[in-house]
Amino acid sequence: MIGKLRGVRVVAVVALSAALTANGCGSDTVVAGGAGGEGGGGTSPWVPFPAPCGEVTSEPVCDTDEVRCGNGMVDTCELCWSTDGQPVTCQDFTEACDGAPSASCAELGYTGGQVVCSELCSHDVRDCNSCLSPPNQVACARPRVDAHEVIDIALASDGNSVAAAWVSFNHDVYFARFSPELELLDYRPCSYVEQAFQVSLAPHPGGWLLAVGTGVGVGEVYLQRLDDGGTVLSTRTIENAMAPSLAARSGTSPLLVYADSTMSAGQNQLSAELLDDAAAAQWHTDIDTAFMESVAVAFADPGFLVGYRNGDLGSQLLPLSVDGSLGAPRDLGDIVFIHLEDGANNRVAAFWRDGNAFAFSWLDGEGQTLSEVEIAPQDQAKANQQLSLAVVDPAGSPTAIVALLEHGNEQVSVTHVDAAGAIATAKYALAYEPLEVFWMTSTGWGEGAALAWAVHANDPAAARFVVGRLSP
């Protein structure tokens, strides 16, 4: 057991003054209001972020036997602890700030924006700008939302706006909707769902369909029909289910794929349902057993394509007709981290890790390869690199925009692939997050793509949520 020992030594390092603000990040700028901004060049006041919905376990580093955070001094304290009766270990810790920031966003590794000193005497970096302004960047925003301890994010677009849903370790579910300029149009925070663990989102007649999956211990999927602004219209509960994935279909209801919550050797039974306008099942089909973290599904007009990893056979691509009948599976071998997106005209875009490299493929509706190209080698320092996939203008000349976390999950790298399977825009850095991206996702948005990513942190001041928009 680890415990802090009281009666520690505290040294006041420096008294902060208003001059530090003028000399630090006081000259950086953010856009007041809903979306956050690019930073630089204006004088708008800083707008606070909403308080976290769930419990915050972080505390000021030097608040032990007395409260020191808030005294206007940056304190250094000696903290001592013992683990399971072992000899006491002591170490000096210093508050990052107290009352005013002691570093700029640039000094903390960002490109600009505004930093403030938090109530925990840490640097609040939620409004620092991580986007690097490459030529294809249309917008980048830090919306005023609660992103404390985000564990999953989903994005979807109805062509006019983009919606995001996310869930926290505290099992709070959130919904937000953004304009093409990334202005925050609607925000529904703090919707608690017992053991909420995963989310999937798709456009649906009358608004959106949100699927919330719980952990193994509860084993339920909640299908919520939402209006445009995120208000819940109805909820359908699927018992003994988890890990929902929605495959959007333009102008109509999506397909739902989910796993049975009873695990056998780490695998679950996969099932599919084609939903109607009320989110009820038009039919139900059992697919196969699979590892739930590897499931992907996409519309392949007129049917669907499901990707998953089966422990006995490796990864599979399975065609699924619009009436629920199964086609012949294709064995993918050791391919992992499968992402699939609708490519229109009976085509599907696929992005996955193949051996020690990440590769993109255009597939036909049966899962056969039309073209393929390597995107990047695997980062040998990271066993799990986040990746995402969006298809731009699928009904015209589709372009796939693939995003990958690189350099220790701190850099969001993007590559564009054209309809013939060739690299249209070579890999470039979209953003750099000094605190490491925890989760990333993307979606096509008309002739462009939207990306969202989150930085997970116990301290709300470091829990970042960023939304970006790219042109093809």
Side-chain angles (χ1 to χ4, degrees):
M1 180 175 182
I2 300 174
K4 291 182 180 178
L5 304 183
R6 302 297 179 180
V8 296
R9 169 179 57 86
V10 177
V11 178
V13 176
V14 61
L16 297 175
S17 66
L20 182 60
T21 303
N23 194 36
C25 269
S27 58
D28 288 329
T29 304
V30 299
V31 177
E38 299 284 352
T43 58
S44 300
W46 189 79
V47 178
F49 285 80
C53 300
E55 180 183 1
V56 177
T57 58
S58 297
E59 58 185 24
V61 65
C62 285
D63 283 9
T64 52
D65 50 346
E66 65 178 274
V67 175
R68 298 177 178 87
C69 181
N71 63 9
M73 310 287 287
V74 174
D75 298 306
T76 293
C77 55
E78 183 185 57
L79 299 182
C80 300
W81 63 91
S82 176
T83 304
D84 295 331
Q86 297 300 311
V88 173
T89 299
C90 296
Q91 184 177 344
D92 284 350
F93 293 87
T94 302
E95 295 172 329
C97 55
D98 196 324
S102 58
S104 68
C105 289
E107 289 169 334
L108 295 171
Y110 300 92
T111 61
Q114 184 167 330
V115 65
V116 298
C117 192
S118 78
E119 295 179 352
L120 301 180
C121 287
S122 61
H123 282 129
D124 190 326
V125 297
R126 287 175 290 181
D127 215 22
C128 290
N129 186 21
S130 61
C131 289
L132 303 173
S133 300
N136 292 86
Q137 178 183 318
V138 175
C140 185
R142 290 87 59 194
R144 263 50 186 181
V145 297
D146 170 23
H148 183 226
E149 297 192 327
V150 169
I151 57 171
D152 195 16
I153 311 173
L155 281 182
S157 175
D158 60 3
N160 300 314
S161 61
V162 70
W166 63 99
V167 63
S168 73
F169 272 112
N170 290 310
H171 313 302
D172 288 304
V173 180
Y174 303 76
F175 174 90
R177 189 169 68 97
F178 302 92
S179 73
E181 295 75 32
L182 299 187
E183 176 188 3
L184 184 60
L185 300 175
D186 301 288
Y187 177 47
R188 191 197 75 190
C190 308
S191 179
Y192 180 81
V193 176
E194 183 180 0
Q195 297 300 315
F197 190 67
Q198 308 115 337
V199 287
S200 187
L201 186 68
H204 189 259
W208 311 91
L209 190 63
L210 173 61
V212 180
T214 63
V216 176
V218 178
E220 291 178 324
V221 167
Y222 303 99
L223 287 178
Q224 296 184 339
R225 290 174 52 241
L226 312 178
D227 67 12
D228 282 340
T231 299
V232 178
L233 302 175
S234 66
T235 300
R236 173 192 165 205
T237 302
I238 304 175
E239 303 288 347
N240 301 316
M242 62 190 303
S245 295
L246 294 168
R249 296 188 298 163
S250 179
T252 187
S253 53
L255 179 82
L256 170 68
V257 173
Y258 61 88
D260 184 278
S261 60
T262 303
M263 300 181 68
S264 176
Q267 297 191 77
N268 307 70
Q269 174 65 51
L270 285 184
S271 298
E273 296 181 358
L274 186 64
L275 304 176
D276 62 17
D277 289 357
Q282 299 182 43
W283 47 253
H284 177 105
T285 297
D286 288 335
I287 297 175
D288 199 352
T289 57
F291 293 102
M292 64 181 184
E293 77 279 1
S294 62
V295 178
V297 58
F299 183 51
D301 192 10
F304 303 90
L305 195 61
V306 182
Y308 58 94
R309 184 164 62 93
N310 180 294
D312 298 325
L313 302 174
S315 292
Q316 308 279 301
L317 286 175
L318 184 67
L320 178 63
S321 73
V322 72
D323 64 5
S325 58
L326 303 178
R330 176 190 170 190
D331 183 10
L332 295 176
D334 293 331
I335 283 174
V336 293
F337 305 126
I338 299 171
H339 284 59
L340 302 175
E341 287 293 332
D342 175 18
N345 300 318
N346 198 33
R347 294 209 309 174
V348 171
F351 188 31
W352 51 47
R353 196 181 83 195
D354 184 357
N356 294 321
F358 291 91
F360 171 84
S361 295
W362 287 113
L363 309 172
D364 66 18
E366 301 301 311
Q368 300 303 312
T369 301
L370 301 173
S371 63
E372 58 185 348
V373 61
E374 183 174 318
I375 299 299
Q378 179 188 358
D379 184 346
Q380 296 302 313
K382 289 289 182 180
N384 183 11
Q385 286 177 260
Q386 287 284 323
L387 59 154
S388 69
L389 169 65
V391 177
V392 176
D393 193 22
S397 180
T399 297
I401 295 181
V402 298
L404 179 67
L405 294 184
E406 296 187 303
H407 304 294
N409 291 343
E410 293 179 347
Q411 180 173 298
V412 180
S413 298
V414 178
T415 305
H416 299 217
V417 183
D418 66 19
I423 300 295
T425 303
K427 186 176 68 175
Y428 58 90
L430 170 63
Y432 180 78
E433 291 283 353
L435 299 179
E436 189 173 336
V437 176
F438 183 79
W439 198 265
M440 176 181 66
T441 190
S442 60
T443 187
W445 191 355
E447 295 184 354
L451 288 86
W453 60 88
V455 173
H456 176 273
N458 292 327
D459 182 355
R464 292 170 49 78
F465 188 98
V466 183
V467 182
R469 189 172 185 186
L470 295 173
S471 62

